[in-house]
Amino acid sequence: MSWITRVRNALPFVAPRQTPDNLWHKCKGCGQMVFTKELEENQYVCPMCDHHERIGPKERFAYLFDEGSCETLPSPTVPEDPLKFRDSKRYADRLRAARTSTGDMDAWINAVGTIDGHQAVIGVQNFGFMGGSMGQAVGEAFIRGVENAIERNCPFIVFTASGGARMQEGILSLMQMPRTTVAIEMLHDAGLPYIVVLTDPTSGGVMAAYAMLGDVQIAEPKATLAFTGRRVIESTIREKLPDDFQTSEYYRDHGLIDMVTHRKELRSTLAELIDFLCAGKKAA
């Protein structure tokens, strides 16, 4: 036995120190490294540059609803892979992978609860689920959210985040545009407000449908909002677009939305809107 081996065997064993892979987060806005815990406590807004990171339904509900009031509504069941679509992967395999990574059945989740004592149904589109693309499941979940709001006599608030219609469902995904529009009319017939919060990014068929039909249109700061891509527009009109084109601030300054609201102020803003638009409907 060599002296190195004898020394090594004589030393007490110390397990190597493990560093969590998710201890730090690199901000997509300024590129600075931020403690993940600090980012979570700041509602996933960078403390350095105020960049709003993308978040999912779980975080949205936690930041908006009164503590203990949130109840997630069941996701509707729709036919899966109706066109037996396949590109580089089977659509069924993409769905399975997205469900594994997010823990959700599809890209839209509804929940009911109270915001500062005011009851509301909130629908959140999850960009982490196949880019928040709109298919039959999203359209059906949107309609169920409207029906729940009508049943409970409360407003329907949606948070959009999507790349547009889901190509794997073809014309069936595009049919969700008129279906959701009719659902919004049902909400109006019931005398209930429909409030939209546009988040980064919202584009394509979603932007052309329910994302821009709100009674009140709100957006998070510096969110990308577009129907089609910047390069497509520039090549079509053969002009250079402004640097802030297709941002929340550009839409507000040109009268396309009502306000740009910081994530930390969304809860109080929504509570004030509900109080104003739904006088007498405060939850017991």
Side-chain angles (χ1 to χ4, degrees):
M1 181 184 296
S2 68
W3 69 271
I4 295 178
T5 304
R6 288 197 302 271
V7 171
R8 183 187 295 119
N9 292 340
L11 292 174
F13 175 75
V14 178
R17 185 176 179 180
Q18 299 294 325
T19 302
D21 294 335
N22 59 349
L23 185 63
W24 292 88
H25 174 84
K26 185 176 182 179
C27 174
K28 296 178 179 64
C30 62
Q32 295 294 318
M33 299 300 291
V34 184
F35 273 117
T36 301
K37 185 173 179 58
E38 182 182 3
L39 192 66
E40 291 174 356
E41 292 173 349
N42 206 40
Q43 298 191 16
Y44 287 91
V45 176
C46 177
M48 311 290 186
C49 69
D50 223 30
H51 174 73
H52 286 50
E53 298 284 348
R54 296 168 184 169
I55 58 176
K58 181 180 178 181
E59 292 80 13
R60 290 282 180 199
F61 298 147
Y63 297 148
L64 294 169
F65 285 127
D66 297 337
E67 187 175 355
S69 71
C70 176
E71 176 190 350
T72 303
L73 301 176
S75 298
T77 302
V78 299
E80 294 186 4
D81 197 8
L83 306 180
K84 306 301 178 187
F85 190 93
R86 181 181 186 129
D87 43 44
S88 59
K89 291 182 181 179
R90 294 190 308 161
Y91 178 36
D93 294 337
R94 292 188 183 277
L95 281 175
R96 192 177 301 110
R99 287 168 179 167
T100 301
S101 63
T102 64
D104 298 328
M105 287 301 294
D106 214 281
W108 190 283
I109 302 295
N110 291 313
V112 61
T114 58
I115 304 174
D116 196 20
H118 301 275
Q119 191 173 56
V121 174
I122 297 180
V124 176
Q125 205 158 6
N126 186 2
F127 191 79
F129 193 107
M130 296 185 67
S133 51
M134 174 184 63
Q136 291 184 98
V138 167
E140 191 63 31
F142 183 97
I143 294 169
R144 295 288 179 87
V146 169
E147 292 172 344
N148 271 275
I150 293 173
E151 180 182 344
R152 300 168 191 271
N153 198 33
C154 67
F156 186 41
I157 304 169
V158 304
F159 286 75
T160 62
S162 176
R166 188 170 295 176
M167 70 171 190
Q168 290 88 349
E169 296 187 19
I171 189 63
L172 298 174
S173 66
L174 296 178
M175 285 303 297
Q176 307 315 307
M177 297 171 68
R179 292 185 75 224
T180 54
T181 302
V182 171
I184 294 169
E185 287 302 313
M186 292 167 51
L187 201 64
H188 290 160
D189 290 343
L192 297 170
Y194 172 57
I195 301 172
V196 178
V197 182
L198 302 160
T199 73
D200 181 71
T202 300
S203 60
V206 169
M207 193 69 176
Y210 53 81
M212 291 301 290
L213 294 177
D215 300 314
V216 180
Q217 296 282 148
I218 307 172
E220 288 191 332
K222 297 180 181 178
T224 298
L225 312 175
F227 173 69
T228 192
R230 181 190 186 96
R231 286 180 296 177
V232 173
I233 298 173
E234 287 184 334
S235 64
T236 301
I237 66 175
R238 292 180 171 81
E239 289 186 18
K240 177 69 175 176
L241 297 169
D243 292 338
D244 64 345
F245 185 68
Q246 295 182 328
T247 64
S248 304
E249 290 73 16
Y250 184 92
Y251 273 57
R252 178 199 58 201
D253 295 343
H254 289 77
L256 297 174
I257 63 175
D258 298 301
M259 64 185 85
V260 176
T261 305
H262 195 283
R263 186 172 292 165
K264 291 183 178 180
E265 299 172 359
L266 267 175
R267 188 175 184 276
S268 60
T269 299
L270 290 173
E272 290 176 8
L273 282 172
I274 297 172
D275 190 46
F276 178 76
L277 297 173
C278 300
K281 290 186 172 65
K282 189 168 183 179

